[in-house]
Amino acid sequence: MQVTPLIWIITIAVTIAFFVYEFFAHVRKPHEPTIGESARWSAFYIGLALLFGVGVGFVSGWNYGGEYFAGYLTEKVLSVDNLFVFLLLMSAFAVPKAYQQKVLMIGIIIALVLRGIFIAVGATLIQNYAWIFYLFGALLLFLAWRQAFASHDADPSDNRAMRFLRRHLPVTDEYHRDRLTVKKDGRRFVTPMLLTIIAISLIDVVFAVDSIPAIYGLTSEAYIVFTANAFALMGLRQLFFLIGGLLERLVYLSQGLAVILAFIGVKLVFHALHVNELPFINGGEPVKWIPEIPIWFSLTFIGLVIAVAAVLSLRKTRKTDEGRETGSLTDARATAD
């Protein structure tokens, strides 16, 4: 895939322009987005991402187009899972609805910057050290295991970093609009707004560790990795307000993501064996009988896992809701008798 420096410059400039527009058009004035506003902009960004993928397919070939779509789908689902943590964070810090947009916007921008750094580092490692695929594969298999058995019950506002900040910084108990600091009685205080943004920034680092090795398991093109991540993060703010209630119903999303990460981890290990240079594995020669998993299979597998996880989640929560309604009716009748 031929990507000139000019194309990189234009892509980064357009990405920055979108986020600048987002800030001045929607975030600068604090308000809670309506469902209609969130739905329209979510649809716009998803449509834009799909059109870009079609463009990649026509210009560079559908193998690269398939890599982009597989990467975008994986990053989008990882981002949706991340929204669940953001939801817990907003609740733990009791962020007012009108100010949640600003917190999300800053967190998303920090996430894109961090991922950009990780992408550049990853591309350099891949070009110079073929054995890095073993490391990425092992990391994804570990992350898959952690994802499958992870608990979202931990309080993100009471971790070690937050306790350290509260011990060493004067923090107000209440919000002062969307200000990060405030002066009271001649002394400068930090508001909970700043703590929330710091907490999201720390979480973004963890998310980058998950997402970048995952997408490098689907493509080795840094340009595809960057654009898939950028489009996955675009519209994430609107998606937060659009599916906030639905997030709690996707009870099997973590397990679905664990399967996807494990699959990509195995794919990375297979690729590492196929280009092996380590002297203690097959005498430093590539393991030719190891198959390369084609991108069409990866895209199909990822889409199928997401669909199954969503259907099973909604079916389980619907049965749970029906059981609660039945139990409530039974209790009501018992009370009446």
Side-chain angles (χ1 to χ4, degrees), residues 5 39 48 60 71 84 108 128 138 166 186 188 213 232 235 237 240-242 249 254 270 286 291-292 318 329:
L48 194 64
S60 301
F84 190 90
I108 290 168
N128 293 281
R166 286 193 174 96
R188 181 66 62 179
R237 175 181 60 82
F240 175 85
F241 295 99
L242 182 63
R249 303 180 69 86
S254 291
F270 278 12
E292 287 276 17
R318 184 177 61 188
L329 288 174

PDB file of all heavy atoms in Angstrom, residues 5 39 48 60 71 84 108 128 138 166 186 188 213 232 235 237 240-242 249 254 270 286 291-292 318 329:
ATOM      1  N   PRO A   5       3.802  10.950   2.115  1.00  0.00           N
ATOM      2  CA  PRO A   5       3.738  11.899   3.237  1.00  0.00           C
ATOM      3  C   PRO A   5       2.597  12.906   3.098  1.00  0.00           C
ATOM      4  O   PRO A   5       1.992  13.306   4.104  1.00  0.00           O
ATOM      5  CB  PRO A   5       5.110  12.587   3.177  1.00  0.00           C
ATOM      6  CG  PRO A   5       6.016  11.573   2.552  1.00  0.00           C
ATOM      7  CD  PRO A   5       5.166  10.857   1.547  1.00  0.00           C
ATOM      8  N   ALA A  39     -28.135  10.356  17.488  1.00  0.00           N
ATOM      9  CA  ALA A  39     -28.367   9.356  16.437  1.00  0.00           C
ATOM     10  C   ALA A  39     -27.901   9.858  15.076  1.00  0.00           C
ATOM     11  O   ALA A  39     -27.268   9.114  14.313  1.00  0.00           O
ATOM     12  CB  ALA A  39     -29.855   8.995  16.387  1.00  0.00           C
ATOM     13  N   LEU A  48     -19.483   7.657   7.235  1.00  0.00           N
ATOM     14  CA  LEU A  48     -18.223   8.193   6.724  1.00  0.00           C
ATOM     15  C   LEU A  48     -17.119   7.143   6.790  1.00  0.00           C
ATOM     16  O   LEU A  48     -16.319   6.993   5.849  1.00  0.00           O
ATOM     17  CB  LEU A  48     -17.834   9.425   7.535  1.00  0.00           C
ATOM     18  CG  LEU A  48     -16.727  10.328   6.971  1.00  0.00           C
ATOM     19  CD1 LEU A  48     -17.182  10.943   5.654  1.00  0.00           C
ATOM     20  CD2 LEU A  48     -16.376  11.419   7.982  1.00  0.00           C
ATOM     21  N   SER A  60      -6.732   1.011  -3.374  1.00  0.00           N
ATOM     22  CA  SER A  60      -5.566   0.178  -3.029  1.00  0.00           C
ATOM     23  C   SER A  60      -5.802  -1.318  -3.156  1.00  0.00           C
ATOM     24  O   SER A  60      -4.888  -2.105  -2.951  1.00  0.00           O
ATOM     25  CB  SER A  60      -5.104   0.494  -1.597  1.00  0.00           C
ATOM     26  OG  SER A  60      -4.750   1.853  -1.471  1.00  0.00           O
ATOM     27  N   GLY A  71     -10.295  -4.127  10.865  1.00  0.00           N
ATOM     28  CA  GLY A  71      -9.700  -3.302  11.913  1.00  0.00           C
ATOM     29  C   GLY A  71     -10.694  -2.318  12.495  1.00  0.00           C
ATOM     30  O   GLY A  71     -10.771  -2.145  13.722  1.00  0.00           O
ATOM     31  N   PHE A  84     -18.500   1.472  28.417  1.00  0.00           N
ATOM     32  CA  PHE A  84     -19.046   0.964  29.668  1.00  0.00           C
ATOM     33  C   PHE A  84     -18.218   1.463  30.853  1.00  0.00           C
ATOM     34  O   PHE A  84     -18.762   1.862  31.888  1.00  0.00           O
ATOM     35  CB  PHE A  84     -19.068  -0.568  29.653  1.00  0.00           C
ATOM     36  CG  PHE A  84     -19.835  -1.172  30.798  1.00  0.00           C
ATOM     37  CD1 PHE A  84     -21.188  -1.430  30.682  1.00  0.00           C
ATOM     38  CD2 PHE A  84     -19.208  -1.463  32.006  1.00  0.00           C
ATOM     39  CE1 PHE A  84     -21.901  -1.971  31.745  1.00  0.00           C
ATOM     40  CE2 PHE A  84     -19.903  -2.005  33.065  1.00  0.00           C
ATOM     41  CZ  PHE A  84     -21.262  -2.258  32.924  1.00  0.00           C
ATOM     42  N   ILE A 108     -11.369  11.405  24.478  1.00  0.00           N
ATOM     43  CA  ILE A 108     -11.225  10.831  23.142  1.00  0.00           C
ATOM     44  C   ILE A 108     -10.009  11.410  22.430  1.00  0.00           C
ATOM     45  O   ILE A 108      -9.260  10.691  21.749  1.00  0.00           O
ATOM     46  CB  ILE A 108     -12.512  11.073  22.323  1.00  0.00           C
ATOM     47  CG1 ILE A 108     -13.647  10.205  22.879  1.00  0.00           C
ATOM     48  CG2 ILE A 108     -12.285  10.771  20.845  1.00  0.00           C
ATOM     49  CD1 ILE A 108     -15.013  10.566  22.336  1.00  0.00           C
ATOM     50  N   ASN A 128      11.368  -3.778  12.097  1.00  0.00           N
ATOM     51  CA  ASN A 128      12.744  -4.124  12.479  1.00  0.00           C
ATOM     52  C   ASN A 128      12.881  -5.440  13.231  1.00  0.00           C
ATOM     53  O   ASN A 128      13.969  -6.025  13.233  1.00  0.00           O
ATOM     54  CB  ASN A 128      13.340  -2.999  13.332  1.00  0.00           C
ATOM     55  CG  ASN A 128      13.530  -1.708  12.545  1.00  0.00           C
ATOM     56  OD1 ASN A 128      14.487  -1.567  11.800  1.00  0.00           O
ATOM     57  ND2 ASN A 128      12.605  -0.772  12.701  1.00  0.00           N
ATOM     58  N   ALA A 138       1.128 -13.107  22.333  1.00  0.00           N
ATOM     59  CA  ALA A 138       1.036 -13.511  23.737  1.00  0.00           C
ATOM     60  C   ALA A 138       0.276 -12.472  24.553  1.00  0.00           C
ATOM     61  O   ALA A 138      -0.538 -12.814  25.433  1.00  0.00           O
ATOM     62  CB  ALA A 138       2.445 -13.700  24.305  1.00  0.00           C
ATOM     63  N   ARG A 166      -5.839  12.872  45.543  1.00  0.00           N
ATOM     64  CA  ARG A 166      -6.633  13.478  46.612  1.00  0.00           C
ATOM     65  C   ARG A 166      -5.786  13.760  47.858  1.00  0.00           C
ATOM     66  O   ARG A 166      -6.066  14.703  48.592  1.00  0.00           O
ATOM     67  CB  ARG A 166      -7.815  12.567  46.967  1.00  0.00           C
ATOM     68  CG  ARG A 166      -8.931  12.569  45.913  1.00  0.00           C
ATOM     69  CD  ARG A 166     -10.186  11.906  46.466  1.00  0.00           C
ATOM     70  NE  ARG A 166     -11.287  12.014  45.540  1.00  0.00           N
ATOM     71  CZ  ARG A 166     -11.634  11.055  44.667  1.00  0.00           C
ATOM     72  NH1 ARG A 166     -10.932   9.925  44.631  1.00  0.00           N
ATOM     73  NH2 ARG A 166     -12.638  11.217  43.857  1.00  0.00           N
ATOM     74  N   GLY A 186      -8.574  32.676  48.392  1.00  0.00           N
ATOM     75  CA  GLY A 186      -7.189  32.933  48.006  1.00  0.00           C
ATOM     76  C   GLY A 186      -6.361  31.695  47.736  1.00  0.00           C
ATOM     77  O   GLY A 186      -5.153  31.788  47.513  1.00  0.00           O
ATOM     78  N   ARG A 188      -5.965  27.996  45.456  1.00  0.00           N
ATOM     79  CA  ARG A 188      -6.377  27.308  44.246  1.00  0.00           C
ATOM     80  C   ARG A 188      -6.739  25.856  44.547  1.00  0.00           C
ATOM     81  O   ARG A 188      -5.973  25.127  45.172  1.00  0.00           O
ATOM     82  CB  ARG A 188      -5.246  27.345  43.207  1.00  0.00           C
ATOM     83  CG  ARG A 188      -5.557  26.685  41.890  1.00  0.00           C
ATOM     84  CD  ARG A 188      -6.645  27.386  41.106  1.00  0.00           C
ATOM     85  NE  ARG A 188      -6.279  28.749  40.743  1.00  0.00           N
ATOM     86  CZ  ARG A 188      -7.061  29.547  40.048  1.00  0.00           C
ATOM     87  NH1 ARG A 188      -8.261  29.126  39.643  1.00  0.00           N
ATOM     88  NH2 ARG A 188      -6.675  30.777  39.769  1.00  0.00           N
ATOM     89  N   PRO A 213      -2.157  -3.645  19.514  1.00  0.00           N
ATOM     90  CA  PRO A 213      -1.728  -4.993  19.102  1.00  0.00           C
ATOM     91  C   PRO A 213      -2.839  -5.756  18.384  1.00  0.00           C
ATOM     92  O   PRO A 213      -2.563  -6.546  17.478  1.00  0.00           O
ATOM     93  CB  PRO A 213      -1.364  -5.666  20.437  1.00  0.00           C
ATOM     94  CG  PRO A 213      -1.030  -4.542  21.348  1.00  0.00           C
ATOM     95  CD  PRO A 213      -1.973  -3.445  20.970  1.00  0.00           C
ATOM     96  N   ALA A 232     -13.002   4.932  14.461  1.00  0.00           N
ATOM     97  CA  ALA A 232     -13.655   4.267  15.590  1.00  0.00           C
ATOM     98  C   ALA A 232     -13.911   5.253  16.734  1.00  0.00           C
ATOM     99  O   ALA A 232     -14.911   5.145  17.448  1.00  0.00           O
ATOM    100  CB  ALA A 232     -12.804   3.099  16.080  1.00  0.00           C
ATOM    101  N   GLY A 235     -17.320  10.086  16.663  1.00  0.00           N
ATOM    102  CA  GLY A 235     -18.701   9.744  16.957  1.00  0.00           C
ATOM    103  C   GLY A 235     -18.874   8.957  18.233  1.00  0.00           C
ATOM    104  O   GLY A 235     -20.006   8.602  18.606  1.00  0.00           O
ATOM    105  N   ARG A 237     -18.398  10.001  21.228  1.00  0.00           N
ATOM    106  CA  ARG A 237     -19.093  10.862  22.197  1.00  0.00           C
ATOM    107  C   ARG A 237     -20.605  10.761  22.015  1.00  0.00           C
ATOM    108  O   ARG A 237     -21.357  10.598  22.989  1.00  0.00           O
ATOM    109  CB  ARG A 237     -18.627  12.309  22.019  1.00  0.00           C
ATOM    110  CG  ARG A 237     -19.352  13.315  22.885  1.00  0.00           C
ATOM    111  CD  ARG A 237     -18.821  14.708  22.608  1.00  0.00           C
ATOM    112  NE  ARG A 237     -18.998  15.091  21.210  1.00  0.00           N
ATOM    113  CZ  ARG A 237     -20.135  15.564  20.715  1.00  0.00           C
ATOM    114  NH1 ARG A 237     -21.192  15.700  21.488  1.00  0.00           N
ATOM    115  NH2 ARG A 237     -20.218  15.903  19.441  1.00  0.00           N
ATOM    116  N   PHE A 240     -22.050   7.423  23.099  1.00  0.00           N
ATOM    117  CA  PHE A 240     -22.166   7.295  24.552  1.00  0.00           C
ATOM    118  C   PHE A 240     -23.568   7.681  25.015  1.00  0.00           C
ATOM    119  O   PHE A 240     -24.189   6.997  25.834  1.00  0.00           O
ATOM    120  CB  PHE A 240     -21.124   8.181  25.234  1.00  0.00           C
ATOM    121  CG  PHE A 240     -21.234   8.213  26.734  1.00  0.00           C
ATOM    122  CD1 PHE A 240     -20.631   7.245  27.516  1.00  0.00           C
ATOM    123  CD2 PHE A 240     -21.942   9.221  27.377  1.00  0.00           C
ATOM    124  CE1 PHE A 240     -20.731   7.273  28.898  1.00  0.00           C
ATOM    125  CE2 PHE A 240     -22.046   9.262  28.755  1.00  0.00           C
ATOM    126  CZ  PHE A 240     -21.436   8.285  29.520  1.00  0.00           C
ATOM    127  N   PHE A 241     -24.094   8.786  24.484  1.00  0.00           N
ATOM    128  CA  PHE A 241     -25.428   9.251  24.882  1.00  0.00           C
ATOM    129  C   PHE A 241     -26.537   8.475  24.187  1.00  0.00           C
ATOM    130  O   PHE A 241     -27.649   8.399  24.698  1.00  0.00           O
ATOM    131  CB  PHE A 241     -25.572  10.744  24.572  1.00  0.00           C
ATOM    132  CG  PHE A 241     -24.658  11.617  25.372  1.00  0.00           C
ATOM    133  CD1 PHE A 241     -23.470  12.092  24.838  1.00  0.00           C
ATOM    134  CD2 PHE A 241     -24.966  11.951  26.684  1.00  0.00           C
ATOM    135  CE1 PHE A 241     -22.615  12.884  25.586  1.00  0.00           C
ATOM    136  CE2 PHE A 241     -24.113  12.742  27.446  1.00  0.00           C
ATOM    137  CZ  PHE A 241     -22.939  13.208  26.896  1.00  0.00           C
ATOM    138  N   LEU A 242     -26.205   7.886  23.033  1.00  0.00           N
ATOM    139  CA  LEU A 242     -27.228   7.160  22.275  1.00  0.00           C
ATOM    140  C   LEU A 242     -27.504   5.784  22.860  1.00  0.00           C
ATOM    141  O   LEU A 242     -28.665   5.351  22.934  1.00  0.00           O
ATOM    142  CB  LEU A 242     -26.789   7.031  20.809  1.00  0.00           C
ATOM    143  CG  LEU A 242     -27.765   6.343  19.856  1.00  0.00           C
ATOM    144  CD1 LEU A 242     -29.061   7.148  19.749  1.00  0.00           C
ATOM    145  CD2 LEU A 242     -27.133   6.188  18.481  1.00  0.00           C
ATOM    146  N   ARG A 249     -27.185  -3.746  28.920  1.00  0.00           N
ATOM    147  CA  ARG A 249     -27.854  -4.949  28.432  1.00  0.00           C
ATOM    148  C   ARG A 249     -26.902  -5.860  27.647  1.00  0.00           C
ATOM    149  O   ARG A 249     -27.232  -7.023  27.398  1.00  0.00           O
ATOM    150  CB  ARG A 249     -29.051  -4.569  27.547  1.00  0.00           C
ATOM    151  CG  ARG A 249     -30.061  -3.673  28.248  1.00  0.00           C
ATOM    152  CD  ARG A 249     -31.218  -3.334  27.341  1.00  0.00           C
ATOM    153  NE  ARG A 249     -32.057  -4.501  27.076  1.00  0.00           N
ATOM    154  CZ  ARG A 249     -33.049  -4.904  27.855  1.00  0.00           C
ATOM    155  NH1 ARG A 249     -33.352  -4.226  28.949  1.00  0.00           N
ATOM    156  NH2 ARG A 249     -33.761  -5.968  27.545  1.00  0.00           N
ATOM    157  N   SER A 254     -18.150  -8.497  26.806  1.00  0.00           N
ATOM    158  CA  SER A 254     -16.778  -8.784  27.245  1.00  0.00           C
ATOM    159  C   SER A 254     -16.325 -10.162  26.789  1.00  0.00           C
ATOM    160  O   SER A 254     -15.185 -10.340  26.331  1.00  0.00           O
ATOM    161  CB  SER A 254     -16.675  -8.687  28.770  1.00  0.00           C
ATOM    162  OG  SER A 254     -16.832  -7.355  29.202  1.00  0.00           O
ATOM    163  N   PHE A 270       0.503 -17.375  14.556  1.00  0.00           N
ATOM    164  CA  PHE A 270       0.653 -18.080  13.275  1.00  0.00           C
ATOM    165  C   PHE A 270       1.531 -17.271  12.324  1.00  0.00           C
ATOM    166  O   PHE A 270       2.416 -17.808  11.661  1.00  0.00           O
ATOM    167  CB  PHE A 270      -0.720 -18.303  12.633  1.00  0.00           C
ATOM    168  CG  PHE A 270      -1.451 -19.497  13.173  1.00  0.00           C
ATOM    169  CD1 PHE A 270      -1.031 -20.152  14.315  1.00  0.00           C
ATOM    170  CD2 PHE A 270      -2.584 -19.980  12.530  1.00  0.00           C
ATOM    171  CE1 PHE A 270      -1.704 -21.245  14.820  1.00  0.00           C
ATOM    172  CE2 PHE A 270      -3.269 -21.075  13.020  1.00  0.00           C
ATOM    173  CZ  PHE A 270      -2.836 -21.711  14.163  1.00  0.00           C
ATOM    174  N   PRO A 286      11.477 -20.135   8.863  1.00  0.00           N
ATOM    175  CA  PRO A 286      10.008 -20.024   8.903  1.00  0.00           C
ATOM    176  C   PRO A 286       9.344 -21.393   8.948  1.00  0.00           C
ATOM    177  O   PRO A 286       9.833 -22.354   8.342  1.00  0.00           O
ATOM    178  CB  PRO A 286       9.668 -19.288   7.598  1.00  0.00           C
ATOM    179  CG  PRO A 286      10.918 -18.556   7.242  1.00  0.00           C
ATOM    180  CD  PRO A 286      12.055 -19.427   7.706  1.00  0.00           C
ATOM    181  N   PRO A 291      -0.530 -22.143   8.492  1.00  0.00           N
ATOM    182  CA  PRO A 291      -1.307 -21.374   7.509  1.00  0.00           C
ATOM    183  C   PRO A 291      -1.423 -19.904   7.910  1.00  0.00           C
ATOM    184  O   PRO A 291      -1.376 -19.555   9.088  1.00  0.00           O
ATOM    185  CB  PRO A 291      -2.682 -22.042   7.550  1.00  0.00           C
ATOM    186  CG  PRO A 291      -2.792 -22.557   8.960  1.00  0.00           C
ATOM    187  CD  PRO A 291      -1.391 -22.964   9.363  1.00  0.00           C
ATOM    188  N   GLU A 292      -1.551 -19.037   6.911  1.00  0.00           N
ATOM    189  CA  GLU A 292      -1.883 -17.627   7.136  1.00  0.00           C
ATOM    190  C   GLU A 292      -3.398 -17.494   7.074  1.00  0.00           C
ATOM    191  O   GLU A 292      -4.026 -17.921   6.099  1.00  0.00           O
ATOM    192  CB  GLU A 292      -1.225 -16.740   6.071  1.00  0.00           C
ATOM    193  CG  GLU A 292       0.275 -16.577   6.246  1.00  0.00           C
ATOM    194  CD  GLU A 292       0.628 -15.472   7.230  1.00  0.00           C
ATOM    195  OE1 GLU A 292      -0.254 -15.044   8.008  1.00  0.00           O
ATOM    196  OE2 GLU A 292       1.798 -15.052   7.249  1.00  0.00           O
ATOM    197  N   ARG A 318     -33.608  -9.803  28.297  1.00  0.00           N
ATOM    198  CA  ARG A 318     -35.058  -9.819  28.127  1.00  0.00           C
ATOM    199  C   ARG A 318     -35.701 -10.855  29.040  1.00  0.00           C
ATOM    200  O   ARG A 318     -36.721 -10.600  29.682  1.00  0.00           O
ATOM    201  CB  ARG A 318     -35.419 -10.133  26.669  1.00  0.00           C
ATOM    202  CG  ARG A 318     -36.919 -10.062  26.390  1.00  0.00           C
ATOM    203  CD  ARG A 318     -37.206 -10.318  24.926  1.00  0.00           C
ATOM    204  NE  ARG A 318     -36.753 -11.641  24.528  1.00  0.00           N
ATOM    205  CZ  ARG A 318     -36.747 -12.078  23.270  1.00  0.00           C
ATOM    206  NH1 ARG A 318     -37.126 -11.272  22.291  1.00  0.00           N
ATOM    207  NH2 ARG A 318     -36.331 -13.301  22.989  1.00  0.00           N
ATOM    208  N   LEU A 329     -45.375  -9.269  39.904  1.00  0.00           N
ATOM    209  CA  LEU A 329     -46.810  -9.557  39.874  1.00  0.00           C
ATOM    210  C   LEU A 329     -47.187 -10.561  40.947  1.00  0.00           C
ATOM    211  O   LEU A 329     -48.212 -10.432  41.616  1.00  0.00           O
ATOM    212  CB  LEU A 329     -47.191 -10.097  38.496  1.00  0.00           C
ATOM    213  CG  LEU A 329     -47.197  -9.080  37.338  1.00  0.00           C
ATOM    214  CD1 LEU A 329     -47.444  -9.787  36.013  1.00  0.00           C
ATOM    215  CD2 LEU A 329     -48.284  -8.023  37.582  1.00  0.00           C
TER     216      LEU A 329
END
